[in-house]
Amino acid sequence: MKIISLLFLAALLAVTRTATLAADGAHANVRALLVLASNQRGASDSRLADYEPTLRRILRFESYKLAGEGSAALATGAKSTVRLARGHVLELEMDKSEGKAVRVKVSWLEGRRSLMNTGLALRPGVPAVLGGPANGKDGEVWAVILVAD
Protein backbone atom coordinates (compact mmCIF):
# COMPACT_ATOMS: atom_id res chain seq x y z
CA MET A 1 0.00 0.00 0.00
CA LYS A 2 2.91 2.29 0.78
CA ILE A 3 4.32 1.79 -2.75
CA ILE A 4 0.96 2.67 -4.34
CA SER A 5 0.80 5.85 -2.25
CA LEU A 6 4.34 6.82 -3.29
CA LEU A 7 3.58 6.16 -6.96
CA PHE A 8 0.39 8.22 -6.71
CA LEU A 9 2.31 11.08 -5.06
CA ALA A 10 5.05 10.92 -7.72
CA ALA A 11 2.44 11.02 -10.51
CA LEU A 12 0.68 13.95 -8.85
CA LEU A 13 3.95 15.88 -8.54
CA ALA A 14 4.81 15.19 -12.20
CA VAL A 15 1.42 16.48 -13.37
CA THR A 16 1.71 19.56 -11.15
CA ARG A 17 5.24 20.30 -12.42
CA THR A 18 4.12 19.94 -16.05
CA ALA A 19 1.15 22.25 -15.46
CA THR A 20 3.41 24.82 -13.77
CA LEU A 21 5.90 24.76 -16.66
CA ALA A 22 3.09 25.14 -19.18
CA ALA A 23 1.68 28.11 -17.26
CA ASP A 24 5.10 29.78 -16.97
CA GLY A 25 6.10 29.12 -20.59
CA ALA A 26 5.11 31.76 -23.09
CA HIS A 27 4.01 30.91 -26.62
CA ALA A 28 4.06 33.02 -29.77
CA ASN A 29 3.58 32.57 -33.48
CA VAL A 30 6.11 34.55 -35.50
CA ARG A 31 5.63 35.41 -39.16
CA ALA A 32 8.75 36.27 -41.20
CA LEU A 33 8.83 38.04 -44.56
CA LEU A 34 11.91 38.35 -46.76
CA VAL A 35 11.86 41.67 -48.60
CA LEU A 36 13.99 43.10 -51.39
CA ALA A 37 14.27 46.89 -51.03
CA SER A 38 15.20 48.98 -54.06
CA ASN A 39 15.77 52.62 -54.98
CA GLN A 40 14.17 52.02 -58.37
CA ARG A 41 10.94 53.94 -58.66
CA GLY A 42 7.81 51.88 -59.08
CA ALA A 43 5.02 50.25 -57.22
CA SER A 44 5.79 48.14 -54.19
CA ASP A 45 4.44 44.63 -53.82
CA SER A 46 0.80 44.94 -52.72
CA ARG A 47 1.31 42.07 -50.24
CA LEU A 48 3.54 44.46 -48.25
CA ALA A 49 1.00 47.30 -48.11
CA ASP A 50 0.49 46.93 -44.34
CA TYR A 51 4.25 47.14 -43.75
CA GLU A 52 5.29 49.72 -46.36
CA PRO A 53 5.07 52.79 -44.04
CA THR A 54 7.34 51.03 -41.52
CA LEU A 55 9.73 49.91 -44.27
CA ARG A 56 9.93 53.43 -45.70
CA ARG A 57 10.52 54.97 -42.26
CA ILE A 58 13.29 52.52 -41.35
CA LEU A 59 14.96 51.63 -44.65
CA ARG A 60 14.14 54.71 -46.79
CA PHE A 61 14.01 52.95 -50.16
CA GLU A 62 11.62 53.63 -53.06
CA SER A 63 10.03 50.21 -53.59
CA TYR A 64 9.72 46.85 -51.85
CA LYS A 65 9.12 43.32 -53.16
CA LEU A 66 8.18 40.24 -51.17
CA ALA A 67 10.72 37.50 -51.94
CA GLY A 68 9.54 34.83 -49.49
CA GLU A 69 7.76 34.20 -46.22
CA GLY A 70 7.30 31.63 -43.50
CA SER A 71 6.23 31.25 -39.90
CA ALA A 72 7.11 29.44 -36.71
CA ALA A 73 5.36 28.56 -33.47
CA LEU A 74 7.67 29.26 -30.52
CA ALA A 75 7.66 28.47 -26.83
CA THR A 76 10.05 29.67 -24.15
CA GLY A 77 13.42 28.00 -24.67
CA ALA A 78 12.35 26.41 -27.94
CA LYS A 79 14.15 26.86 -31.26
CA SER A 80 12.63 26.88 -34.72
CA THR A 81 13.87 27.35 -38.26
CA VAL A 82 12.09 29.40 -40.92
CA ARG A 83 13.20 28.86 -44.52
CA LEU A 84 12.36 31.92 -46.57
CA ALA A 85 13.68 32.01 -50.15
CA ARG A 86 16.93 32.23 -52.12
CA GLY A 87 18.87 30.46 -49.38
CA HIS A 88 17.75 32.79 -46.57
CA VAL A 89 17.02 31.04 -43.27
CA LEU A 90 16.05 32.39 -39.86
CA GLU A 91 16.84 30.45 -36.71
CA LEU A 92 14.57 31.69 -33.92
CA GLU A 93 14.77 31.00 -30.21
CA MET A 94 12.30 32.43 -27.72
CA ASP A 95 13.98 33.65 -24.54
CA LYS A 96 11.13 34.84 -22.35
CA SER A 97 8.17 37.14 -22.31
CA GLU A 98 8.24 40.69 -20.98
CA GLY A 99 4.64 41.73 -20.42
CA LYS A 100 2.99 41.32 -23.80
CA ALA A 101 6.30 41.30 -25.68
CA VAL A 102 8.36 38.17 -26.28
CA ARG A 103 12.16 38.17 -26.49
CA VAL A 104 13.44 36.28 -29.50
CA LYS A 105 17.02 35.52 -30.52
CA VAL A 106 17.35 35.73 -34.29
CA SER A 107 20.11 34.24 -36.44
CA TRP A 108 19.78 35.21 -40.12
CA LEU A 109 21.70 33.03 -42.53
CA GLU A 110 22.17 33.06 -46.29
CA GLY A 111 23.37 29.59 -47.14
CA ARG A 112 26.25 29.00 -44.73
CA ARG A 113 27.00 32.71 -44.33
CA SER A 114 25.80 34.35 -41.12
CA LEU A 115 24.22 37.71 -41.89
CA MET A 116 23.02 38.74 -38.44
CA ASN A 117 22.66 37.57 -34.85
CA THR A 118 20.46 39.75 -32.70
CA GLY A 119 17.78 39.77 -30.05
CA LEU A 120 14.39 41.43 -30.38
CA ALA A 121 11.43 42.16 -28.15
CA LEU A 122 8.43 41.47 -30.39
CA ARG A 123 5.10 42.98 -29.40
CA PRO A 124 2.01 41.32 -30.86
CA GLY A 125 1.07 42.84 -34.21
CA VAL A 126 3.98 45.32 -34.27
CA PRO A 127 6.42 44.63 -37.13
CA ALA A 128 10.16 44.57 -36.47
CA VAL A 129 12.41 45.23 -39.49
CA LEU A 130 15.95 43.90 -39.87
CA GLY A 131 18.03 45.55 -42.58
CA GLY A 132 20.38 43.15 -44.24
CA PRO A 133 23.08 42.97 -46.90
CA ALA A 134 23.10 44.29 -50.44
CA ASN A 135 21.75 41.95 -53.08
CA GLY A 136 24.45 43.03 -55.51
CA LYS A 137 22.08 44.39 -58.13
CA ASP A 138 21.40 48.09 -58.54
CA GLY A 139 21.81 48.85 -54.83
CA GLU A 140 19.03 46.50 -53.72
CA VAL A 141 19.08 45.44 -50.08
CA TRP A 142 17.59 42.44 -48.28
CA ALA A 143 15.39 42.99 -45.25
CA VAL A 144 13.32 40.79 -42.96
CA ILE A 145 10.05 41.72 -41.29
CA LEU A 146 9.13 39.80 -38.13
CA VAL A 147 5.66 39.96 -36.61
CA ALA A 148 4.45 38.07 -33.54
CA ASP A 149 0.80 37.40 -32.82
Side-chain angles (χ1 to χ4, degrees):
M1 191 67 169
K2 200 173 201 179
I3 293 175
I4 293 173
S5 296
L6 287 174
L7 288 175
F8 178 73
L9 180 61
L12 182 62
L13 288 173
V15 169
T16 303
R17 173 87 173 131
T18 302
T20 301
L21 288 174
D24 289 344
H27 297 278
N29 292 314
V30 177
R31 182 173 177 217
L33 298 99
L34 180 65
V35 176
L36 191 57
S38 173
N39 273 323
Q40 293 180 358
R41 295 191 191 276
S44 291
D45 193 317
S46 62
R47 296 171 292 178
L48 295 171
D50 292 343
Y51 307 109
E52 192 168 0
T54 303
L55 288 166
R56 286 189 185 282
R57 182 174 42 84
I58 294 171
L59 299 177
R60 300 176 189 251
F61 282 83
E62 292 292 324
S63 61
Y64 303 91
K65 293 181 181 160
L66 181 64
E69 63 185 302
S71 62
L74 295 175
T76 302
K79 294 181 182 181
S80 188
T81 300
V82 179
R83 299 189 185 289
L84 295 169
R86 302 183 190 183
H88 290 265
V89 175
L90 297 179
E91 293 176 353
L92 306 173
E93 181 180 358
M94 191 167 146
D95 273 345
K96 58 186 172 184
S97 59
E98 298 172 350
K100 290 188 178 187
V102 291
R103 293 246 355 121
V104 179
K105 290 181 186 176
V106 181
S107 294
W108 181 3
L109 306 164
E110 182 181 27
R112 292 184 180 195
R113 187 175 92 168
S114 176
L115 301 178
M116 182 180 299
N117 289 301
T118 191
L120 299 170
L122 297 175
R123 291 181 292 150
V126 178
V129 177
L130 301 175
N135 183 32
K137 299 182 202 170
D138 304 321
E140 295 176 328
V141 171
W142 290 111
V144 169
I145 300 170
L146 293 167
V147 184
D149 59 11

